[in-house]
Amino acid sequence: MTDRRTLLATGLKTLAAFAALPLGAARAAEAWPTRPIELVVPYGPGGGTDVLARALAESVRKYLAQPVTVVNRAGASGSIGMADVAAATPNGYKLIMLTVDVMILPHIGIGKVTYENFAPIARLNFDPAAVTVRADAPWNTVEEFLDHARKHPGEVRVGNSGPGAIWHMASVALESRTNTSFNLIPFQGAAPAVLALGGGHIDAVSVSPAEVSTQVQSGKLKMLAVMADERVKGFENVPTLKERNIDLSLGAWRGLCAPRGTPSEVLQQLSQAVAKAVQETAYRQTLDKLNLGEAYGDAAAFRATMENDSQSFKALAAKLNLTGKS
């Protein structure tokens, strides 16, 4: 009788303990994933963020029980897609390829989502901004380009990936550091800006090397300088602005995140899968082919990057008064 009473008491305690678990923990105890995972790209198709997301989705599929499907949700400089994922149920079935833009947008009045709305999984890449023009443009050096801009204030049309986006920030920062004034033209992403440049509708773009690599390699565009501390792999003949005595290094990172509150067990599975996926040959070949700067960092490193950038971009946005720029 005593043994039966002891067993009954033990069973009741176990049930009570399980019932007391938070809902998130109970859900995490269930099998995951049991259905496809959605990876949101908060920009249009064809740009660097989209290409990176699709390369990762393809490589990570062998390390997860369900496929990862990429969905583009562009608009408002990325804030629409970011808000969508931030508000999603934190169960691991909706992720986002987050970009450095999340560090800028809240400081210029575009959306209310911040990096604190997300749980970092892995930082995947870093790309500096680059000054790129058409191959037939009259400028062969960044000095010639900037000298022309100074002589014709407000006339040189420089395309970017949208108001408040990182490549817009890069253009404004270049204005500030070089005493120039451009006619800044926003587009719904880097790819449309590059297409406009190729078509002669604008004079330059301030996007990453990855987003103009195909056109540069084909001889349609030429890159005058990169905003980096060192020259970029694949573009070793292109000088940095610092080599030209312009102290400006600015770029974009991209990384995988989940909504804040996602169970730690799910985040751990995702982190482990991504760490293996980025070693896949096909994934690495995609990054090399498109000159996407590989910069893998685990969840802790990614969080540190975001925390460091938060204050620096806030200060830069205030200094440059981006709210009033077009």
Side-chain angles (χ1 to χ4, degrees):
M1 181 66 70
T2 302
D3 291 341
R4 294 175 66 180
R5 288 177 177 174
T6 300
L7 288 173
L8 179 60
T10 301
L12 290 173
K13 289 180 180 179
T14 301
L15 289 173
F18 183 80
L21 284 172
L23 183 57
R27 287 175 176 170
E30 300 174 0
W32 180 92
T34 58
R35 55 187 170 88
I37 301 163
E38 183 178 317
L39 174 53
V40 173
V41 173
Y43 308 100
T49 306
D50 180 65
V51 171
L52 180 64
R54 294 180 188 278
L56 179 67
E58 180 66 25
S59 294
V60 81
R61 66 167 55 196
K62 66 188 290 186
Y63 302 109
L64 293 172
Q66 294 288 331
V68 176
T69 303
V70 175
V71 177
N72 297 91
R73 282 201 178 83
S77 301
S79 64
I80 290 178
M82 293 177 192
D84 175 56
V85 178
T89 301
N91 55 14
Y93 289 104
K94 181 174 283 190
L95 310 175
I96 187 168
M97 187 61 69
L98 200 64
T99 72
V100 70
D101 294 325
V102 74
M103 317 306 299
I104 304 169
L105 298 178
H107 302 311
I108 59 174
I110 300 180
K112 297 181 180 180
V113 176
T114 74
Y115 75 98
E116 294 177 320
N117 290 106
F118 303 98
I121 297 168
R123 186 190 64 224
L124 299 170
N125 109 293
F126 177 80
D127 290 313
V131 179
T132 304
V133 299
R134 293 193 309 278
D136 61 356
W139 319 293
N140 292 311
T141 67
V142 71
E143 290 92 341
E144 292 174 352
F145 172 76
L146 294 173
D147 185 58
H148 177 85
R150 292 188 191 97
K151 293 177 180 177
H152 302 85
E155 294 184 14
V156 177
R157 300 161 298 174
V158 180
N160 59 70
S161 53
I166 184 63
W167 307 135
H168 181 202
M169 174 78 84
S171 297
V172 177
L174 184 61
E175 286 181 321
S176 178
R177 296 293 175 86
T178 60
N179 192 30
T180 53
S181 177
F182 303 124
N183 180 9
L184 302 181
I185 311 295
F187 290 87
Q188 285 281 334
V194 174
L195 285 175
L197 175 61
H201 304 294
I202 56 177
D203 302 304
V205 291
S206 57
V207 301
S208 73
E211 288 157 326
V212 294
S213 60
T214 301
Q215 293 86 345
V216 171
Q217 291 166 1
S218 67
K220 296 179 181 179
L221 303 179
K222 58 185 175 183
M223 197 180 303
L224 302 181
V226 293
M227 302 181 192
D229 294 332
E230 299 178 352
R231 295 195 179 196
V232 176
K233 179 182 178 182
F235 296 95
E236 289 83 1
N237 63 323
V238 179
T240 67
L241 286 180
K242 290 190 174 184
E243 292 177 50
R244 296 298 187 251
N245 297 316
I246 301 171
D247 187 17
L248 179 59
S249 181
L250 190 67
W253 49 253
R254 301 176 178 90
L256 187 66
C257 289
R260 183 180 59 192
T262 299
S264 59
E265 292 86 350
V266 173
L267 293 175
Q268 184 176 9
Q269 288 188 58
L270 283 165
S271 295
Q272 292 172 347
V274 171
K276 295 175 182 177
V278 298
Q279 299 301 322
E280 287 290 310
T281 300
Y283 174 84
R284 300 176 74 88
Q285 287 177 341
T286 297
L287 266 64
D288 286 341
K289 181 179 179 180
L290 298 179
N291 294 287
L292 286 167
E294 184 180 357
Y296 172 78
D298 63 15
F302 191 14
R303 179 174 294 280
T305 295
M306 291 191 285
E307 289 175 348
N308 290 336
D309 282 354
S310 179
Q311 293 304 314
S312 59
F313 275 106
K314 179 179 180 180
L316 184 58
K319 177 180 178 181
L320 297 179
N321 190 27
L322 282 174
T323 304
K325 300 296 275 189
S326 63

